[in-house]
Amino acid sequence: MGHTMDDIVRSAFSRAMASMSDELPLMPLSRWNESVFRYLFCRSLAEAHPGVTQFVECDRIDLVLHHAEEKAFVEFKFYLQARKFDPYTGGWSGFKGGPGLRNLEEFRRCVDHLHGRKPMHGLAKYIVLVYADPIGGSTPGNLYSAHYDEYAHWDEKVTLDLLESRGPIESDEDRVQARLFAVH
């Protein structure tokens, strides 16, 4: 029996999160970004489902998947409070940016844009959201988790189904959470 696109994407998400957990002791989250996580996702997918064709950065979609008669559009959002370091001493000097309305609006636009893509038979749309908050480094109102742990989209015409949730994965400095949504 073949795998459905939902099975394939869920499997890649779970495997990528397991890989992330394995990688964090060697490669701290401060060295990660969306592209690094997308690589883990794509690699996990290629290992488990080599028959799935992957197109990265395809027509302003982060990842397009083709498998038999099914297709998937996958958008990745990766939010962390990037640390600032002094280039001469290597000392930590605070955070760059962080959670706020700008990130939340960016996520909402991503959901709306993906939802607005022309539907077709056999097409599924997904968002992989990964976010990290510093352990003991922020007030509760200034955490990504405050925005995304229980995210509800503003437009009731758009349905976001939470398919998978992973985390927290804790490193020495950060607490990582991840969500896989289907967009309808």
Side-chain angles (χ1 to χ4, degrees), residues 12 16 24 60 63 94 103 147 152 154 168 171-172 174 183:
L24 282 175
R60 299 183 62 207
L63 179 63
N103 291 105
H147 296 290
W154 68 275
S171 68
D172 289 345
D174 301 286
V183 180

Side-chain angles (χ1 to χ4, degrees), residues 2 4 14-15 22-23 25 28 30 48 61 64 80 98 105-106 116 119 122 124 130 132 137 146-147 155 173-174 179:
T4 67
S14 295
R15 292 168 59 93
D22 293 343
E23 291 288 331
S30 61
I61 302 166
V64 174
L80 64 96
E105 283 302 316
E106 176 187 306
V130 179
H147 296 290
D155 185 348
E173 300 175 327
D174 301 286
R179 308 281 184 261

Side-chain angles (χ1 to χ4, degrees), residues 44-61:
S44 297
L45 196 147
E47 281 180 338
H49 303 283
V52 175
T53 306
Q54 301 182 38
F55 304 94
V56 174
E57 300 287 338
C58 182
D59 192 27
R60 299 183 62 207
I61 302 166

